[in-house]
Amino acid sequence: MPGVFGLQVLWKGGVTQGILVCVCCMALVWGCFSNPAQAMGEFKEGVFTSEYGSRRYKLYIPSGYQGQAVPLVVMLHGCTQDPADFAAGTKMNTLAEQQPFLVVYPEQPVFANISKCWHWFLPAHQQRGTGEPALIAGMTQTIMTTYQVDPSRVYIAGLSAGGAMTVVMGATYPDLYAAIGVSAGFAYQAARDPLAVLKVAQQGGPDPRQQGTLAYQAAGAAARVVPVIVFHGADDRIVNPVNAEQVLSQWAQTNDLASDDGLDNDNISDTSSCTPAHSTAGYPYTKCVYPDENGEVLMEKWLVYTMGHRWSGGSSAGSYTDPKGPDASEAMIRFFFAHPKM
């Protein structure tokens, strides 16, 4: 199994261009990266091109879509993954058949990053209107105009490097995404260069209140309160669970500022109410809920015990999943649909 060799770190959580940083001490090749079960829906390929570059994607159109306005969920894979693998592992297409909703999986290709990691850790890709955020947002908007999508129900979620990029998207395009889901990710601008990634993964990032203010500033005139749901394995050796706490604290600060035109008055905080539970598949977990200023649930954190760097409750048909945890995909869809953009 690969580990740290000089400046080359194989990491599933996020990483380089040049100096290969890719934090994943397990190079799992499941040999089952085929398309997930599709019921009667269509899993089609597409390409989005703009002044910021070009990215392929896979779009799942459920059989229940007949031209009516439906939600759209954007799914950002982690390092070493691809859209088909991520779709298989998260089982999101199966949920789309039940609801229905569209699911798009943008692809980070090898030519952009040798480990297929999103560049969440580089300043050029941490701002609105530039780099990968502009590409992902542009792809989202194109699908919204091509299909009948309810603009108040557009969501984004991701794993590891994809989870970190999801945080960037929530900070830079809060007017586009109604809510975000972060699995094993990082707070906004937790790292700003490749060499900082490993340290942040092991120890956590800067003061989350400071990062929360930066995220609010990144939103600019588009700033609004963004609902957030976070999943993290308590035994994650790749991305320290302290990062889950920091994601929630960062968003508490960002939402506090956004809720009252930049006033830092703690009407939204990272104080939570936590309940222990046990998944039917095997793992215990703690679910914490964070209220908004009206007492309604604004954020959730699920800490899954025994689980490592994985998508909780996923299918073994994809990589970096653990079927024994509570179903993160089901929890995120429930949370998303309870939080349309107002």
Side-chain angles (χ1 to χ4, degrees):
M1 290 187 291
V4 179
F5 300 101
L7 292 178
Q8 183 170 356
V9 183
L10 179 56
W11 180 28
K12 156 93 189 51
V15 35
T16 93
Q17 45 179 359
I19 300 174
L20 170 60
V21 181
C22 173
V23 189
C24 181
C25 295
M26 296 162 275
L28 298 181
V29 178
W30 289 77
C32 193
F33 292 164
S34 57
N35 291 355
Q38 298 174 30
M40 293 183 293
E42 181 183 7
F43 205 22
K44 62 187 296 183
E45 296 185 353
V47 179
F48 172 75
T49 300
S50 73
E51 61 186 294
Y52 304 105
S54 180
R55 290 293 185 275
R56 302 189 67 83
Y57 62 85
K58 290 184 75 72
L59 174 68
Y60 188 72
I61 305 172
S63 58
Y65 174 72
Q66 302 296 326
Q68 74 276 32
V70 295
L72 170 64
V73 178
V74 182
M75 295 289 287
L76 301 181
H77 65 74
C79 302
T80 77
Q81 295 182 312
D82 62 31
D85 174 26
F86 198 42
T90 61
K91 303 180 295 184
M92 195 61 78
N93 293 357
T94 300
L95 292 177
E97 276 298 312
Q98 300 169 6
Q99 301 293 337
F101 56 91
L102 302 178
V103 196
V104 63
Y105 303 83
E107 180 177 4
Q108 180 72 318
V110 172
F111 70 75
N113 182 286
I114 194 170
S115 295
K116 299 190 284 188
C117 306
W118 298 100
H119 293 109
W120 61 272
F121 50 88
L122 295 178
H125 302 283
Q126 295 174 335
Q127 304 298 328
R128 183 184 180 100
T130 186
E132 291 168 4
L135 272 171
I136 295 167
M139 183 185 298
T140 302
Q141 291 163 333
T142 295
I143 291 170
M144 291 173 67
T145 57
T146 304
Y147 299 88
Q148 291 298 316
V149 172
D150 182 345
S152 71
R153 296 190 294 165
V154 178
Y155 308 96
I156 187 166
L159 170 65
S160 197
M165 183 54 80
T166 293
V167 169
V168 172
M169 299 307 297
T172 56
Y173 289 90
D175 52 335
L176 181 59
Y177 301 105
I180 69 172
V182 183
S183 179
F186 301 90
Y188 179 69
Q189 287 191 355
R192 290 178 60 81
D193 63 73
L195 293 179
V197 172
L198 184 57
K199 179 180 178 181
V200 170
Q202 294 176 336
Q203 304 175 16
D207 177 6
R209 288 182 66 89
Q210 167 189 299
Q211 303 312 110
T213 300
L214 292 175
Y216 171 73
Q217 293 170 348
R224 56 173 281 272
V225 173
V226 177
V228 180
I229 180 171
V230 172
F231 268 78
H232 214 112
D235 286 357
D236 193 334
R237 300 291 186 265
I238 307 304
V239 178
N240 190 312
V242 68
N243 287 283
E245 299 288 344
Q246 293 187 341
V247 169
L248 265 300
S249 294
Q250 176 249 289
W251 277 105
Q253 174 70 0
T254 303
N255 285 331
D256 180 49
L257 295 170
S259 70
D260 207 0
D261 294 330
L263 294 179
D264 188 356
N265 53 13
D266 289 332
N267 60 338
I268 295 176
S269 74
D270 57 1
T271 300
S272 63
S273 173
C274 299
T275 304
H278 206 285
S279 69
T280 56
Y283 288 156
Y285 62 92
T286 298
K287 175 185 174 182
C288 300
V289 296
Y290 301 74
D292 64 13
E293 56 188 327
N294 299 314
E296 300 295 325
V297 174
L298 175 63
M299 302 183 292
E300 291 184 7
K301 182 188 70 181
W302 297 58
L303 185 65
V304 185
Y305 300 102
T306 309
M307 192 179 77
H309 195 65
R310 297 287 187 269
W311 185 273
S312 182
S315 168
S316 58
S319 63
Y320 301 107
T321 65
D322 195 326
K324 293 183 179 180
D327 194 319
S329 295
E330 286 188 355
M332 287 185 183
I333 292 302
R334 171 197 54 76
F335 180 85
F336 287 166
F337 290 0
H339 292 90
K341 182 157 58 72
M342 305 305 290

